[in-house]
Amino acid sequence: MIYRKTEARVMAYLPVIKSRMYRREGTFPPVYVKKYREYTETETVNVTKTDGYPYRFGCQGEDTLFSFTMTIPDGNEDFYLHFPLETDALLTIDGKAESNINPRHTMVCMNPWKGKTIECEVRCWDGYIFPGTRPLFDTHLLTTVGTRQEDYPIILSEPGLLIKNRENFALYYDVLTLSDLASNLPEHSMEREVIFSSLRKALAFYPMCSENDEEQSASEVRKKIAPFFEAKNGFFAPSSYSTGMSHLDHAWLWPIRETERKAVRTISGMTALMREYPEFIFLSTQPVQMEYAFRTRPELYEKVKNAFEK
């Protein structure tokens, strides 16, 4: 029988490893703010500068635009823009749609712009106060799917340019995968005990306190647990495939104009992921939304075409 403290010790490593997946690169540049009347280019507030973080914003019937100029260093590192928002937004770089940003997708790979100085804009939908549809679904602020807050303000936490610590990044998902697998096995099974015991023994070589060799330690731990990912249950094992798909109703709890903007954000985000992960496949089920996105953002058509041809 596996001791509960063995499982607890393994799980205690996950937040530590996760905190080391990225490190900050330099000081983030000044971020400027404009306010627009929703779905227009009519400014309601002149340009101001964020006065610290968390930055609070948002008003029904408006869009908020954050802009900044940044230089992406050259070199062999993987660079990411971290822009933690509580709403849905479109990132444009030098005027072109490059990715979506939302509470579940705050990181954008910036490797294509290494060695360049770029102009970035993040246009946010400020949402609206949704009156609710049933007694159990009361009034709340609607900004993006899957989030819920009672009212304004919307929060922008401190943005940053981050460098991926590749070995810690990979180790986090290795340990998460194996611990999730083991947790779903019968409580007193031998397989569960072997996985958790092996993880605990391997992670004993990983420093809980900050040290300079965290990447090397992560690499060594990954080598120790690698055999689990090569093992098969029996003389054959089925292959599993996961394909991304966006379910985006054309008429939902926001105006169709917002659906159209959401389509642009979704397609740009998926093409950004396909650029970062060439093996990633995405399905879009709404041709009318793709037609709007391609007509208003021609660069997206070229990105989707290139991805399809690959």
Side-chain angles (χ1 to χ4, degrees):
M1 180 187 302
I2 190 169
Y3 292 107
R4 288 293 184 185
K5 65 181 181 181
T6 299
E7 296 187 11
R9 285 176 178 173
V10 170
M11 302 310 288
Y13 276 94
L14 279 172
V16 176
I17 302 171
K18 187 175 184 178
S19 70
R20 298 171 180 172
M21 290 166 64
Y22 299 92
R23 65 185 187 274
R24 284 190 172 268
E25 167 66 19
T27 302
F28 200 76
V31 177
Y32 298 91
V33 188
K34 283 184 184 180
K35 304 287 286 185
Y36 292 91
R37 186 171 294 116
E38 196 175 40
Y39 308 115
T40 73
E41 295 301 318
T42 304
E43 293 186 27
T44 59
V45 175
N46 293 330
V47 178
T48 59
K49 184 179 176 182
T50 55
D51 53 1
Y53 301 99
Y55 181 79
R56 294 167 173 82
F57 68 97
C59 179
Q60 184 163 312
E62 290 189 343
D63 292 339
T64 300
L65 179 76
F66 297 99
S67 61
F68 48 94
T69 303
M70 65 188 311
T71 299
I72 311 301
D74 212 342
N76 296 323
E77 306 281 9
D78 294 323
F79 294 95
Y80 287 80
L81 169 65
H82 180 48
F83 208 81
L85 274 172
E86 291 182 350
T87 186
D88 222 355
L90 174 69
L91 168 67
T92 62
I93 297 178
D94 294 335
K96 295 183 178 180
E98 294 295 347
S99 183
N100 62 332
I101 294 177
N102 58 51
R104 289 176 173 78
H105 184 209
T106 63
M107 308 282 286
V108 180
C109 182
M110 306 301 283
N111 286 350
W113 297 277
K114 283 184 180 181
K116 298 179 181 178
T117 298
I118 54 178
E119 300 292 333
C120 301
E121 291 186 344
V122 178
R123 184 155 186 163
C124 308
W125 182 46
D126 285 5
Y128 71 99
I129 300 298
F130 178 59
T133 56
R134 305 173 189 172
L136 295 178
F137 297 164
D138 55 355
T139 300
H140 64 279
L141 175 62
L142 178 64
T143 56
T144 187
V145 178
T147 63
R148 185 179 180 84
Q149 65 183 73
E150 298 304 316
D151 205 344
Y152 294 102
I154 301 169
I155 301 298
L156 167 64
S157 299
E158 184 176 6
L161 181 63
L162 308 184
I163 297 175
K164 178 191 285 187
N165 294 323
R166 294 167 183 156
E167 291 297 327
N168 276 274
F169 183 91
L171 177 62
Y172 173 78
Y173 286 106
D174 284 353
V175 175
L176 180 66
T177 299
L178 290 175
S179 60
D180 276 359
L181 169 64
S183 297
N184 283 282
L185 293 172
E187 185 175 1
H188 301 301
S189 70
M190 181 181 295
E191 292 88 349
R192 179 172 179 148
E193 179 173 354
V194 168
I195 292 173
F196 271 118
S197 296
S198 299
L199 281 174
R200 182 190 63 80
K201 292 177 182 177
L203 288 167
F205 294 89
Y206 186 82
M208 289 290 277
C209 297
S210 181
E211 295 184 8
N212 294 329
D213 62 349
E214 292 164 0
E215 281 286 88
Q216 180 62 36
S217 299
S219 178
E220 293 301 321
V221 174
R222 291 189 66 215
K223 292 176 183 177
K224 294 178 184 296
I225 62 178
F228 283 104
F229 295 99
E230 300 168 358
K232 290 186 178 181
N233 183 17
F235 64 90
F236 76 94
S239 297
S240 299
Y241 298 91
S242 178
T243 301
M245 195 277 285
S246 174
H247 176 79
L248 182 55
D249 292 332
H250 202 64
W252 196 60
L253 300 180
W254 49 47
I256 289 180
R257 289 175 297 178
E258 192 57 39
T259 303
E260 292 170 337
R261 297 202 304 186
K262 177 70 172 175
V264 171
R265 295 193 292 261
T266 300
I267 294 171
S268 64
M270 295 305 100
T271 54
L273 288 175
M274 284 186 271
R275 180 177 60 212
E276 184 178 359
Y277 302 101
E279 70 277 14
F280 175 58
I281 298 174
F282 175 74
L283 298 178
S284 180
T285 60
Q286 297 281 15
V288 67
Q289 295 170 7
M290 297 185 72
E291 187 278 334
Y292 173 83
F294 296 160
R295 173 165 45 85
T296 57
R297 292 285 184 176
E299 66 270 23
L300 291 183
Y301 173 76
E302 293 300 323
K303 292 180 181 180
V304 170
K305 180 182 177 182
N306 291 338
F308 179 79
E309 290 174 348
K310 291 179 181 178

